[in-house]
């Protein structure tokens, strides 16, 4: 338990209907009692019941409020916690926090409430991270994955792996300690296959691509020659007038972007200028940016103008994106004489990646969304959903494979044992059992103050 009492605003700063001030630590109850004057003075503070009253400090009323006291250990941090709901204005919040600090609390660091919940043993590290993931979830799927992790989904998987690894390590240790009873061949024959299958199960729990999509969303770039209908497509997907649509080629000089949710996945869309050579400095900078965005995106939507013949500008972009993950869209297919066939004749476009579309009428838009969603895959379906956990599980798996290989090459068992302990340590870093200050600082520094 910590000796200090921490306090912070738990809701976002700024003006709002309500602001919640959270206090945790040994002085939480005293501070609340010193500030809070219940409206009904005959009522005692009942744990975990909201009370209505006023905050008064040094004879001055600060605000009317609702307050609740959650005595240890049944609280978020397992310490005494007081939460005060005041009106959400900066002046009110400042004056209440000042009073709380004057009464002996100290300002909380980012993530410090959740860190206390972890260090006081209420949650493990993967659950603490899940809290953060939940707060910053980029889409419904990310939220569901964070909730599963908060409820111990990843923990169970890692615990099982730890249990299995401890069993294998004791097998190796026994063979090292009692060579006359267990021969090296016997130990290797029994243990090495299990090490490899444990490594395989750890690796199959790591789907970094999905985790990245889950944490950050899918980056999709719209490219194509000027006037192909890129801005119209961006607008149609965003369902708002974000990009400027005109029939003057080259109007989208800078990158216009926006995000949408497609079936639970956050999709970041970016419109790009054409990539033709230009003498205009501003346009040239736009082209360079566009090229960069095109290359770094997860998926490219190449808009082809079915109203015009294929030309050099199409070809330049098609060359630039060749070999990448692309969808080819024949836009303006509402027109009477679309020229799809000209494009098929001119370029070797993969048929299964092409789509007819009209950004104007919306025809083909649902199918396009479906294709984008399919491309994202099923993020959040593996046992591990966070990139940090995956990188640790991967190092554990690599250490297991090294150990199995060393054993199979008849190297002394002690050598393999070193790798096995390394694997165990990596798994322990997921749950926070082998935590170092550095690790905790790193994890909790991504939190916001008040959480
Ligand atoms: P960008 O330069 O590639 O961003 O193209 P815009 O979105 O600005 O569109 C260029 C012109 O094509 C505008 O006049 C749009 O109204 C028109 N346009 C875009 N999509 C379609 C479509 O699907 N059908 C038709 N008929 N016109 C379209």
């Amino acid at each position: 338990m910590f000796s200090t009492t921490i306090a912070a605003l738990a809701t976002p700063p700024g003006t709002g209907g309500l602001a919640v001030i959270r206090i945790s630590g040994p002085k939480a109850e005293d501070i609340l009692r010193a500030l809070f004057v219940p409206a009904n003075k005959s009522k005692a503070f009942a744990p975990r019941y909201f009370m209505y009253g006023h905050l008064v400090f040094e004879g001055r009323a600060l605000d009317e409020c609702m307050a609740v006291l959650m005595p240890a250990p049944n609280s978020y941090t397992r310490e005494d916690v007081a939460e005060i709901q005041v009106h959400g204005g900066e002046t009110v919040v400042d004056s209440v926090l000042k009073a709380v600090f004057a009464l002996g609390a100290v300002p909380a660091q980012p993530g410090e409430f959740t860190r206390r919940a972890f260090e006081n043993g209420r949650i493990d590290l993967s659950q603490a991270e899940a809290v953060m993931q939940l707060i910053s979830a980029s889409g419904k799927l990310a939220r569901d994955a964070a909730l599963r992790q908060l409820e111990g989904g990843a923990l169970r998987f890692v615990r099982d792996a730890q249990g299995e690894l401890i069993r294998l390590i004791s097998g190796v240790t026994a063979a090292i300690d009692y060579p006359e009873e267990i021969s090296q061949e016997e130990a290797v024959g029994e243990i090495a296959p299990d090490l490899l299958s444990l490594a395989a199960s750890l690796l199959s729990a790591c789907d970094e691509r999905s985790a990245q999509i889950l944490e950050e969303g899918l980056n999709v770039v719209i490219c194509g020659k000027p006037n192909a209908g890129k801005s119209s497509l961006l607008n149609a997907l965003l369902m708002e007038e974000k990009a400027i649509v005109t029939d003057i080629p080259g109007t989208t000089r800078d990158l216009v972007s926006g995000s949408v949710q497609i079936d639970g996945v956050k999709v970041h869309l970016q419109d790009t200028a054409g990539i033709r050579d230009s003498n205009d400095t501003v346009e040239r900078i736009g082209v360079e940016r566009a090229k960069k965005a095109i290359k770094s995106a997860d998926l490219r939507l190449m808009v082809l103008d079915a109203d015009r013949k294929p030309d050099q500008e199409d070809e330049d972009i098609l060359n630039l994106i060749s070999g990448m993950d692309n969808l080819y869209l024949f836009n303006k297919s509402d027109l009477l004489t679309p020229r799809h066939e000209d494009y098929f004749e001119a370029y070797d476009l993969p048929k299964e990646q092409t789509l007819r579309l009209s950004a104007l009428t919306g025809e083909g838009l649902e199918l396009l969304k479906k294709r984008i969603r399919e491309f994202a895959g099923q993020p959040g379906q593996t046992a591990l959903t966070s990139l940090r956990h995956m990188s640790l599980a991967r190092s554990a798996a690599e250490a297991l494979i090294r150990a199995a290989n060393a054993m199979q090459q008849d190297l002394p068992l002690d050598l393999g044992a070193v790798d096995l302990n390394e694997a165990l340590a990596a798994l322990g870093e997921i749950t926070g059992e082998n935590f170092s200050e550095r690790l905790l600082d790193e994890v909790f520094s991504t939190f916001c103050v008040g959480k």
Side-chain angles (χ1 to χ4, degrees):
M1 290 286 161
F2 294 81
S3 59
T4 53
T5 297
I6 52 173
L9 177 66
T11 42
T15 317
L18 287 176
V20 175
I21 287 154
R22 193 187 238 175
I23 311 167
S24 177
K27 287 188 188 160
E29 181 171 354
D30 288 348
I31 293 174
L32 184 63
R33 285 186 191 282
L35 278 178
F36 182 76
V37 182
N40 185 343
K41 296 201 174 58
S42 61
K43 266 198 182 157
F45 238 117
R48 285 179 297 284
Y49 274 91
F50 260 115
M51 295 271 289
Y52 169 67
H54 289 81
L55 296 173
V56 180
F57 184 59
E58 293 175 339
R60 211 160 48 89
L62 303 179
D63 195 4
E64 65 174 340
C65 73
M66 298 291 291
V68 60
L69 183 69
M70 292 165 273
N74 299 314
S75 72
Y76 186 72
T77 55
R78 277 209 173 153
E79 303 175 331
D80 285 348
V81 169
E83 282 179 12
I84 309 173
Q85 288 185 359
V86 293
H87 290 109
E90 274 174 45
T91 327
V92 173
V93 170
D94 279 354
S95 63
V96 176
L97 276 177
K98 261 195 195 123
V100 168
F101 296 144
L103 289 164
V106 294
Q109 297 300 311
E112 198 172 355
F113 291 97
T114 309
R115 183 167 180 160
R116 286 191 173 192
F118 163 69
E119 293 198 34
N120 290 330
R122 193 179 69 79
I123 54 175
D124 82 346
L125 193 59
S126 72
Q127 288 171 308
E129 287 170 294
V131 171
M132 187 58 208
Q133 279 182 5
L134 195 59
I135 297 172
S136 58
S138 66
K140 188 174 148 305
L141 283 181
R143 183 199 64 196
D144 292 350
L147 266 178
R148 265 204 314 282
Q149 188 175 323
L150 190 57
E151 284 157 9
L155 181 64
R156 214 166 306 127
F157 171 78
V158 177
R159 285 248 189 280
D160 287 350
Q162 281 172 320
E164 169 71 356
L165 184 50
I166 289 168
R167 183 183 75 78
L168 295 170
I169 290 177
S170 33
V172 174
T173 315
I176 293 171
D177 292 349
Y178 305 103
E180 59 289 347
E181 279 169 45
I182 311 165
S183 74
Q184 175 146 351
E185 297 79 68
E186 223 178 320
V188 171
E190 270 182 25
I191 292 167
D194 287 357
L195 288 177
L196 291 173
S197 81
L198 182 58
S201 97
L202 286 171
L203 289 176
S204 74
C206 301
D207 180 354
E208 275 98 349
R209 177 181 178 272
S210 289
Q212 184 108 26
I213 292 171
L214 207 58
E215 280 182 21
E216 289 158 18
L218 188 73
N219 286 315
V220 176
V221 148
I222 303 176
C223 53
K225 68 184 169 192
N227 245 15
K230 299 181 296 298
S231 313
S232 306
L233 175 61
L234 178 74
N235 287 339
L237 285 168
L238 294 178
M239 291 179 294
E240 59 177 302
E241 291 291 315
K242 189 120 193 173
I244 321 142
V245 179
T246 67
D247 46 14
I248 311 158
T251 39
T252 314
R253 284 187 169 175
D254 214 342
L255 308 186
V256 186
S257 60
S259 302
V260 270
Q261 288 274 338
I262 300 181
D263 191 17
V265 173
K266 182 112 169 170
V267 177
H268 306 289
L269 292 159
Q270 197 167 47
D271 186 6
T272 56
I275 59 158
R276 63 176 169 188
D277 291 332
S278 165
N279 294 326
D280 180 304
T281 319
V282 179
E283 189 159 348
R284 230 181 19 240
I285 295 172
V287 169
E288 278 316 306
R289 280 200 207 154
K291 281 189 180 167
K292 229 187 217 162
I294 288 171
K295 283 190 190 146
S296 65
D298 299 311
L299 176 69
R300 280 140 290 271
L301 305 181
M302 170 69 186
V303 185
L304 300 163
D305 191 340
D307 190 30
R308 285 190 285 163
K309 281 201 170 121
D311 59 22
Q312 191 59 42
E313 282 193 89
D314 290 301
E315 195 161 328
D316 289 346
I317 303 174
L318 286 168
N319 285 338
L320 182 74
I321 66 175
S322 101
M324 302 179 180
D325 291 310
N326 308 317
L327 287 175
Y328 303 90
L329 314 175
F330 290 114
N331 189 35
K332 309 194 186 179
S333 59
D334 54 292
L335 296 174
L336 287 178
T337 51
R339 298 168 184 259
H340 307 159
E341 288 312 319
D342 293 352
Y343 282 90
F344 278 118
E345 265 169 38
Y347 311 111
D348 186 22
L349 298 176
K351 270 236 155 69
E352 63 291 349
Q353 287 167 27
T354 63
L355 212 66
R356 282 162 154 265
L357 185 81
S358 169
L360 199 67
T361 66
E363 179 205 330
L365 208 59
E366 284 310 309
L367 186 60
L368 171 61
K369 285 192 200 163
K370 196 164 157 253
R371 290 288 195 79
I372 296 175
R373 182 61 190 81
E374 280 165 5
F375 178 79
Q378 289 301 329
Q381 298 306 303
T382 46
L384 301 176
T385 53
S386 120
L387 286 170
R388 189 184 79 84
H389 298 170
M390 288 183 191
S391 114
L392 287 164
R394 201 168 275 286
S395 4
E398 281 159 10
L400 293 179
I401 294 169
R402 272 201 310 277
N405 287 343
M407 284 184 181
Q408 282 164 340
Q409 286 162 21
D410 273 343
L411 294 171
L413 286 177
D414 311 49
L415 270 177
V418 173
D419 286 322
L420 295 186
N421 282 311
E422 202 181 304
L424 194 62
L427 293 181
E429 272 200 46
I430 298 181
T431 54
E433 276 150 39
N434 303 329
F435 62 85
S436 61
E437 281 301 302
R438 180 197 53 76
L439 169 68
L440 294 189
D441 288 346
E442 214 166 273
V443 168
F444 287 100
S445 65
T446 57
F447 277 55
C448 43
V449 174
K451 191 64 229 173

